[in-house]
Amino acid sequence: MDAVKRGDKDFAKWCIDDLDDWVNRQVKEGPAAGLATTKRRRKGWDRLSVTELGWGVGEIAKMWKMLKDNGIDHPSYLEFGKRLADFFVAHYDEQDPFGRIWSLKTGEKLEGGGDGGGFLVKGMLELYAACGDRRYLDCARRAFDRYFEMDLSKFRCVAGADDCNCVDKESSFPYIYSALELWRQTGERHYLDCAERVAAYFCSWMFTYDALYPETSEFGRFGYKTSGGTLVSCEHPAIDPYATVAIPDLFDLADATGEEVWREAGRLIWFNAMQDVAGPDCGSMNGILRTPGSQCEAHAQTRWSKYRSDPVAARGNFNNQCTAFIVTFRLYAIDRLGAALESPAFAKQR
């Protein structure tokens, strides 16, 4: 989108070529028709996560719409999203709506359970917004209602990440967006209430205070503050910047309800996540050179966190692992919020 806005044809072509490669890997026929690999560099990979596939449905639909609105016709993107969504519409299960892990080779469900299907709910709603096919709205609504009944109504969410199967924060994010979108599409107040409940669950993983650390700790040396930070999950009890992805939905929820607490939560999350982002001069942390825009994946705030740069150190350490997803989520928030991030109300002193 940025390349199109700037008129950078070379970079836009590079992006489209990369997306074309993903699209061309979609299974065209057989029991797995519609599925597509999520690991290009791992030949023979046969474990597809609904979390990743859900992102695929929504993002490719939005990409198609953005290109079309800018005079670039790329119908294969919409067809990719529809074929992928159609697989899950056909395989919907009332007891286990979208499962958890699927086989690219056989189209069979390898693992069920969990709430990662919320990413498919979100993806189908975004696909519906792009193409207007009501099948996706109806399936998304049905799945949302079932996931909410099973878990979210009980103030729990589980198994949205690919590397663990436990109660977590990450699984709940797409349900905030989806509840708001269902409220907008149906006008039913029930979904706005659902959005508030999910947002409350998401924010229940957030620090609302600054814990104290010795000056000798990494937190102490770098001045890291815990307020606004959110824990990953029960299995991964470290603070991560993942929550930036939910800030736009928290802002939308504040606008819809008039409750400013959601906007304040989003602001606090943003300020927390901005603390250790490497600037244009790169710099280093613990002797490790960092690229501009990168930041640590996890912040070990406790003695018992499994992520520490120094296993002997008691608390307040960075894991020194700079991953792409946290940068992607930060860009996702910037793209959706736009000028709101630069407004005086957002930038006021915390």
Side-chain angles (χ1 to χ4, degrees):
M1 182 179 294
D2 181 62
V4 171
K5 287 180 178 178
R6 291 186 288 104
D8 189 335
K9 294 182 179 180
D10 290 339
F11 187 53
K13 183 180 184 304
W14 181 88
C15 294
I16 289 174
D17 287 346
D18 186 65
L19 284 172
D20 285 347
D21 182 65
W22 283 108
V23 168
N24 291 334
R25 293 169 186 267
Q26 188 172 42
V27 179
K28 301 298 189 298
E29 56 186 24
L35 296 178
T37 184
T38 57
K39 301 286 191 297
R40 281 188 296 193
R41 297 180 181 179
R42 299 181 67 173
K43 292 183 178 180
W45 183 252
D46 192 39
R47 293 176 61 82
L48 305 181
S49 164
V50 294
T51 298
E52 296 175 326
L53 295 174
W55 273 113
V57 170
E59 292 304 303
I60 202 72
K62 290 187 292 185
M63 180 61 68
W64 169 79
K65 181 68 165 54
M66 183 275 296
L67 290 173
K68 185 175 178 64
D69 290 345
N70 284 274
I72 303 173
D73 190 18
H74 222 76
S76 62
Y77 290 178
L78 180 60
E79 290 305 309
F80 175 91
K82 292 175 71 172
R83 284 195 296 264
L84 182 50
D86 287 346
F87 177 89
F88 286 98
V89 170
H91 289 80
Y92 178 83
D93 178 354
E94 190 68 17
Q95 300 306 311
D96 181 26
F98 296 132
R100 186 166 182 241
I101 304 292
W102 293 78
S103 168
L104 179 63
K105 296 177 181 177
T106 66
E108 295 176 300
K109 185 193 301 181
L110 300 179
E111 291 183 25
D115 295 294
F119 289 88
L120 265 168
V121 174
K122 179 177 183 289
M124 285 189 183
L125 289 171
E126 291 169 324
L127 178 60
Y128 169 72
C131 72
D133 190 330
R134 193 173 178 86
R135 291 183 305 123
Y136 305 126
L137 173 62
D138 292 342
C139 186
R141 181 177 183 176
R142 189 177 178 188
F144 177 92
D145 289 346
R146 184 61 180 139
Y147 280 120
F148 197 88
E149 176 189 17
M150 290 189 300
D151 285 326
L152 293 158
S153 66
K154 301 177 177 64
F155 213 68
R156 68 189 182 200
C157 219
V158 62
D162 296 336
D163 58 349
C164 64
N165 188 356
C166 66
V167 175
D168 67 8
K169 167 196 69 188
E170 297 177 350
S171 305
S172 61
F173 146 68
Y175 293 101
I176 309 175
Y177 170 90
S178 298
L180 284 168
E181 183 64 12
L182 286 168
W183 170 65
R184 288 186 285 258
Q185 293 293 338
T186 67
E188 295 181 18
R189 171 72 199 202
H190 160 71
Y191 288 113
L192 189 55
D193 294 338
C194 290
E196 287 200 281
R197 187 170 184 84
V198 179
Y201 173 81
F202 187 90
C203 292
S204 73
W205 294 83
M206 183 175 69
F207 275 73
T208 56
Y209 61 90
D210 289 328
L212 300 178
Y213 294 90
E215 293 182 359
T216 54
S217 69
E218 292 179 1
F219 282 16
R221 295 204 311 273
F222 287 97
Y224 180 83
K225 307 298 184 182
T226 57
S227 57
T230 54
L231 298 185
V232 181
S233 65
C234 288
E235 183 178 340
H236 302 282
I239 293 176
D240 72 351
Y242 176 102
T244 55
V245 75
I247 295 174
D249 298 320
L250 292 172
F251 274 42
D252 286 347
L253 184 57
D255 291 338
T257 63
E259 297 289 345
E260 286 300 304
V261 65
W262 305 120
R263 199 182 320 276
E264 288 302 305
R267 288 183 62 256
L268 200 57
I269 289 168
W270 183 261
F271 287 128
N272 174 271
M274 291 302 103
Q275 291 181 96
D276 66 320
V277 177
D281 58 347
C282 301
S284 64
M285 180 177 286
N286 299 321
I288 300 173
L289 184 65
R290 301 172 63 189
T291 56
S294 65
Q295 68 184 133
C296 293
E297 178 190 29
H299 308 75
Q301 79 287 352
T302 68
R303 289 184 173 85
W304 40 267
S305 176
K306 63 193 290 187
Y307 300 107
R308 291 195 293 261
S309 57
D310 178 2
V312 179
R315 51 199 285 271
N317 292 282
F318 302 103
N319 75 340
N320 297 321
Q321 182 172 330
C322 297
T323 51
F325 82 89
I326 52 178
V327 179
T328 303
F329 288 169
R330 193 165 69 240
L331 292 173
Y332 176 87
I334 292 172
D335 178 59
R336 284 187 57 191
L337 287 173
L341 287 175
E342 302 174 2
S343 68
F346 187 86
K348 67 183 180 181
Q349 185 70 29
R350 53 178 282 204

